[in-house]
Structures are given as structure tokens and as C-alpha cells.
């Protein structure tokens, strides 16, 4: 991987950045509203999917055990935060302290937003007479899904900034997609989240990444102009 010059990165068009943010922000806020209002069709869909996947989970203990391992160890939020911390330390070692602070701050903001949304919505988790797993705190949005989306998105951004080659980029992209999608599926499979909890985590996580990338690029462009 060959470092790309980040002395004067091109400023992303404001219009495009706004559209991308709206792509995740608008559906996320709409979903939040519908969940808060307990909109009937959405609630019914959540319950139908959850009942089906729970039935599968009970009938397939091997897949359920594999899901527990993946969600509790491989894709656990603390595992994801550890990856982010490693990236931050790597940036500091390379002298990119501002970028390191930006990444660390984004992860912190994402955690605060996630907990604030959970407290505000206070959505109960699914309850089963024969649970295959358990979880704590409110359901919406899924912390696993949101943390994975934020960390994987930020790591992909860092690879782009530092000129990752095609092979590394494709591998990282595939692992990121697998992780973000996989952790969401395991949460529903284990019966600890409604499908819309996961969708909300993905949407708000993606929104955090978009805002992080956009504000960092604009801040860098302003610094370049001021120092010119």
C-alpha cells in the first residue's frame, strides 16, 4: 500500500455530499419515526420475520452456536472498537494526528448517538418462551450493526486516503460488507433484535461515516486555503 498525498485533497462537491447524507439520513429518521409511533404494518413485518428466524434458530443449534461466536467475538462492538483503536494508533505513529483524532472522535460520537437513540426510543427487545440468546438495553438501533457500519466504513475510508491497491481494496471491501451484513443477520437470527433495529443501525452508522468523511475533507480544504 503506497501512501497517497493528502496535502491538498480535492474538496467533495457540496451537492453530492448532501445527497449522500440524505440517502442515509432521511430513511433513518423516517424509520425512527415509524418505530417510535409503532406503525402497525412495520411492527407486523418485524414480528413475522422475527418469528420465522427464531423458529429456524431453535431448529438449527449448530447455526445458532456459530452465530453466537460471530456476534460475541468476531463482530462484537468491542472487537470493532479495538480495530478502530489500532487504526488510530497507526495514524499517530505515522504523524497523522489530526486524522487519528478525527477517526477516534467519530467513533465516540457514534457511540453517544447510538446510546441516545436507544434511550429516546426505549424499544423493547423480542421476548421468547424459548430464547436462544439474551441481550441488554433497549433495542433500537442495533449497537452491533451501527458499530460495525461505522468502523468498517471508516477503515475503508482510511484505505482510500492512503492509496490502497486494487487487491487490498477489494479484499477489505468484501470483508467489510460481510461483517456489516453478517452481524446484522446474527442479531436477528439470535432473536435479540427486530429487523428494523438492524436496519436503523446500518442507516445511522452509514450517516456517521458520510458526515465524518465530508467534514474532514472540507476542514482540510479550508486549512489548505488558509495556508496558501
Amino acid at each position: 500500500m503506497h501512501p497517497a498525498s493528502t496535502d491538498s485533497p480535492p474538496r467533495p462537491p457540496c451537492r453530492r455530499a448532501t445527497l449522500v447524507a440524505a440517502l442515509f439520513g432521511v430513511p433513518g429518521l423516517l424509520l425512527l419515526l415509524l418505530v417510535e409511533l409503532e406503525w402497525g404494518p412495520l411492527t407486523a413485518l418485524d414480528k413475522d420475520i422475527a418469528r420465522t428466524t427464531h423458529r429456524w434458530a431453535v431448529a438449527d443449534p449448530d447455526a445458532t452456536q456459530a452465530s453466537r461466536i460471530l456476534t460475541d467475538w468476531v463482530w462484537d462492538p468491542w472487537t470493532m472498537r479495538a480495530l478502530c483503536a489500532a487504526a488510530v494508533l497507526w495514524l499517530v505513529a505515522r504523524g497523522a494526528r489530526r486524522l487519528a483524532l478525527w477517526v477516534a472522535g467519530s467513533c465516540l460520537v457514534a457511540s453517544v448517538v447510538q446510546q441516545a437513540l436507544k434511550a429516546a426510543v426505549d424499544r423493547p427487545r423480542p421476548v421468547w418462551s424459548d430464547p436462544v440468546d439474551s441481550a441488554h438495553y433497549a433495542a433500537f438501533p442495533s449497537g452491533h450493526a451501527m458499530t460495525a457500519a461505522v468502523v468498517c466504513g471508516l477503515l475503508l475510508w482510511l484505505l482510500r486516503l492512503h492509496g490502497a491497491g486494487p487487491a487490498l481494496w477489494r479484499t477489505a471491501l468484501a470483508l467489510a460488507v460481510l461483517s456489516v451484513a453478517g452481524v446484522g443477520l446474527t442479531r436477528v437470527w439470535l432473536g435479540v433484535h427486530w429487523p428494523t433495529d438492524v436496519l436503523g443501525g446500518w442507516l445511522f452508522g452509514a450517516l456517521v461515516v458520510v458526515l465524518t468523511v465530508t467534514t474532514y475533507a472540507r476542514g482540510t480544504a479550508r486549512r489548505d486555503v488558509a495556508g496558501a
Side-chain angles (χ1 to χ4, degrees):
M1 183 167 67
H2 303 288
S5 174
T6 56
D7 292 336
S8 56
R11 183 173 181 175
C14 179
R15 189 174 187 182
R16 184 177 63 185
T18 301
L19 287 174
V20 174
L23 178 65
F24 298 111
V26 173
L29 291 174
L30 178 59
L31 181 64
L32 171 64
L33 178 62
L34 294 177
V35 168
E36 179 66 23
L37 294 176
E38 298 181 359
W39 188 52
L42 187 65
T43 301
L45 180 61
D46 260 341
K47 290 181 177 179
D48 286 344
I49 296 174
R51 278 193 292 263
T52 300
T53 54
H54 180 67
R55 187 166 62 250
W56 293 344
V58 171
D60 193 341
D62 291 337
T64 299
Q65 180 60 23
S67 294
R68 286 199 200 97
I69 294 171
L70 289 170
T71 197
D72 291 340
W73 296 98
V74 180
W75 295 323
D76 180 75
W78 286 109
T79 303
M80 290 291 161
R81 290 173 188 135
L83 286 175
C84 188
V88 168
L89 292 175
W90 179 76
L91 290 170
V92 171
R94 292 174 61 87
R97 291 181 175 82
R98 178 172 173 266
L99 182 55
L101 181 62
W102 208 267
V103 172
S106 298
C107 287
L108 178 60
V109 167
S111 295
V112 171
V113 169
Q114 171 198 308
Q115 293 303 319
L117 289 173
K118 282 182 176 287
V121 179
D122 196 25
R123 189 185 200 186
R125 292 178 184 267
V127 177
W128 311 104
S129 60
D130 52 348
V132 298
D133 204 353
S134 62
H136 306 289
Y137 309 113
F140 185 93
S142 165
H144 280 70
M146 185 169 175
T147 303
V150 170
V151 172
C152 289
L154 291 176
L155 292 179
L156 289 175
W157 173 51
L158 292 178
L159 287 175
R160 276 295 193 193
L161 277 181
H162 289 84
L168 176 58
W169 171 253
R170 285 194 294 267
T171 301
L173 181 60
L175 288 173
V177 171
L178 176 64
S179 297
V180 174
V183 73
L185 294 176
T186 62
R187 303 310 284 166
V188 177
W189 179 274
L190 293 172
V192 294
H193 273 295
W194 305 106
T196 47
D197 299 336
V198 170
L199 179 58
W202 286 337
L203 289 171
F204 285 112
L207 179 61
V208 169
V209 173
V210 170
L211 293 178
T212 297
V213 173
T214 301
T215 53
Y216 180 82
R218 289 178 178 174
T220 301
R222 284 196 294 269
R223 282 164 56 95
D224 290 344
V225 170

